[in-house]
Amino acid sequence: VFRVSGTSAREVIAKLAPVDMSAAEFGADDFRRTRLAQVAAAFWMSDSDSVDVVCFRSVAQYMFDLLSTVAQPGSEVGVYA
């Protein structure tokens, strides 16, 4: 399980998943089972600025690397800010 938090949490997930992460479409306590890049995963908004991501342990390092890469400072697109 990974937690992505902060004002850009929605954007980080939106870069990887085919999901509309706007607050109007995906709010606190919403849950989605989908893929993040090439990995089956599920995620939910635990609050307005935090997303919990769950995936198989066998792809945990890939998921960590993926989330770390798309969350790099300076890579913001600004869609959900």
Side-chain angles (χ1 to χ4, degrees):
V1 176
F2 298 93
R3 173 162 287 179
V4 179
S5 60
T7 57
S8 296
R10 289 179 184 278
E11 186 170 310
V12 168
I13 300 302
K15 288 180 182 180
L16 301 172
V19 176
D20 182 352
M21 291 299 295
S22 66
E25 293 297 321
F26 200 88
D29 295 327
D30 281 349
F31 178 90
R32 182 66 48 96
R33 183 176 179 267
T34 185
R35 62 180 172 76
L36 293 162
Q38 301 299 315
V39 176
F43 58 88
W44 61 95
M45 298 285 302
S46 49
D47 60 51
S48 62
D49 286 336
S50 298
V51 180
D52 292 321
V53 178
V54 63
C55 66
F56 291 110
R57 185 172 39 181
S58 61
V59 294
Q61 186 63 54
Y62 174 77
M63 182 64 71
F64 176 81
D65 295 342
L66 193 62
L67 291 168
S68 297
T69 299
V70 300
Q72 289 291 316
S75 68
E76 298 86 359
V77 178
V79 175
Y80 301 111

